[in-house]
Structures are given as structure tokens and as C-alpha cells.
Amino acid sequence: MKQIDLMPLVFSVLVLALASPSGFANDAESGGHDMHHHEISSPKDYVIMQTWDHQKQVLLSSGMTEAEADGKILDWLTTYQSMDRAAGKDRIGLQAPPFQFDGWLNSEPLALDDLKGHVVFIRWFTDTCPFCASSAPGLRQLYDEYTDQGLKMIAVFHPKAGRDDPLDKERVARVVEARNFKFPVAIDWDWRKGTLKDWWLTGPKRPGTSVTFILDKSGVIRFVHPGMEYHEDNGSELHKMCASDMGNIKNAIESLLAE
């Protein structure tokens, strides 16, 4: 029997998902926030996004012209620039809820009580997201810069593509290796009913699910970045807001470490 090459289909359905205008809507039950994600038949098919250039190559491989791909990426980044940075202010000052994670990599299971006395940084991410991929260097930088000063960092994988698949720890391990994450990584596989729901997907509409929380030494939420991307200045005007957000995150960490 002739073997069928699934990759053109994979890329095509990725583009259809990317074009969805409802990607930033809060819809925990139906799995909203899916601007750049798609469910496909096998966990082995999921593309681990590496950079925005990689995202562009995926779009080109699916049949888009260069102008179409550039336009699509511009639309996404423009949406990010206009994101409401005050989203999440309703969480500030609240005691962080308990963790309910489905697994851990690079660490034994942790609980919030284990982290008391430390500033805690928690970022939800996924593998098929260019915003998450572009933020990975920033996470590594924050870990390297502040761990010795007492910061505890946790990245939390939540599947967007294939969110109804069975728990796949090997899939998470692949993206952790690809992104070179050395810090603890938790798995919030059933995030629509799990920890992300308890921490974030209740209350007002949320602009994304790749949220960051910073907790003070008593476990109170003191800073929220409501999602998508941040990193140091890379010289691109399209990413100026990413650098601004990174500066705000560093300021928050340094202030809480000093308390």
C-alpha cells in the first residue's frame, strides 16, 4: 500500500487554525485562544515552533505566498501590541490557588507550600505557539539571572493542539528539550478544568492562556502578564512591546526579591 505523506495536510490545517479570528476569545470549554494552534490526528505530528521565522516557513510550506505569510504574522503581532495589559488585575493580591498538575519534568512534584519564602514565577506555555517559542529565551534569561537570588521558576505546559489527546509526557519532554528548559516544568494537560482554569480562566475575559504570574514570598499573586510574548529588545519595531513587557517583569521580580 502506498504510504500517504501527511505533512502537507498538517501544514494546511495549521494555517486554517491560524486564520481563526476567535483565537483571543475566552472560551475554556471549547478551547479558545487558538489563533495559532490546531488539533491533528497523531501526537507525533505536532510541530514544535522555534521562532517567528520558523512560523513563517510553516506558513510558506502550507501554500501561502511570502506576502500572505508576512501579513498574517503582522496581524498577530499587532493584536499582541494592542493586548490589554491590565487584564489580570483582578488576580492581584489574591492568595494563589493550589497546584493540580498532571506531571513534572526537571523536578520532583512541587506544592506552593514548598515554595514559601521564595518569589515564584509561573508561565503557561505550549509547543505549537510562536509567541511561546519567542518567549523561551526570555524565560531562560530570567532563570539564569535571578535563580541565585531566590527566584523559583516553573513553566507549565498546556496542550492547545491535541488538547483532547491522552496525557503525553514524551511530547512535553520533546518541547522542553527543544526549548532548553532546565527549570521545573509542570504539565497542566486538562487545563480547561485544571489549574489554569482555577488560576486564570475564571472571571473576566482573558486575552490568552500563556499567562505569567509572579508570587511574593507568602504566595500572594503580585504581578500578572496576561499572555503571549516577552523578551529583550531584538531591534524590531514589531517587538518593542515584548521588550517593554520584559522590563516590567524584571522590575517586578527585583522588587519582590528585595522585600
Side-chain angles (χ1 to χ4, degrees), residues 143-154:
Y143 176 72
D144 291 342
E145 188 168 347
Y146 294 111
T147 294
D148 290 344
Q149 300 181 44
L151 181 72
K152 297 295 185 182
M153 176 175 284
I154 300 171

Side-chain angles (χ1 to χ4, degrees), residues 108-202:
E108 294 296 320
L110 298 172
L112 281 177
D113 286 344
D114 301 327
L115 302 170
K116 290 291 179 64
H118 295 275
V119 176
V120 180
F121 179 103
I122 306 176
R123 158 77 188 233
W124 270 257
F125 77 103
T126 194
D127 46 2
T128 54
C129 168
F131 292 100
C132 296
S134 190
S135 298
L139 297 184
R140 295 193 297 267
Q141 177 188 343
L142 294 171
Y143 176 72
D144 291 342
E145 188 168 347
Y146 294 111
T147 294
D148 290 344
Q149 300 181 44
L151 181 72
K152 297 295 185 182
M153 176 175 284
I154 300 171
V156 185
F157 180 88
H158 70 304
K160 300 298 286 295
R163 56 185 169 265
D164 294 322
D165 290 346
L167 175 65
D168 186 352
K169 194 170 182 179
E170 290 186 4
R171 174 181 168 187
V172 184
R174 287 193 293 272
V175 67
V176 168
E177 181 178 8
R179 303 258 170 93
N180 195 28
F181 288 168
K182 304 300 184 185
F183 39 81
V185 175
I187 304 173
D188 194 13
W189 196 269
D190 193 16
W191 53 272
R192 289 169 288 173
K193 299 178 181 178
T195 299
L196 185 61
K197 179 181 179 181
D198 293 341
W199 281 56
W200 187 233
L201 297 179
T202 57

Side-chain angles (χ1 to χ4, degrees), residues 96-110:
F99 295 152
Q100 302 174 40
F101 293 133
D102 302 302
W104 290 82
L105 291 85
N106 298 339
S107 175
E108 294 296 320
L110 298 172

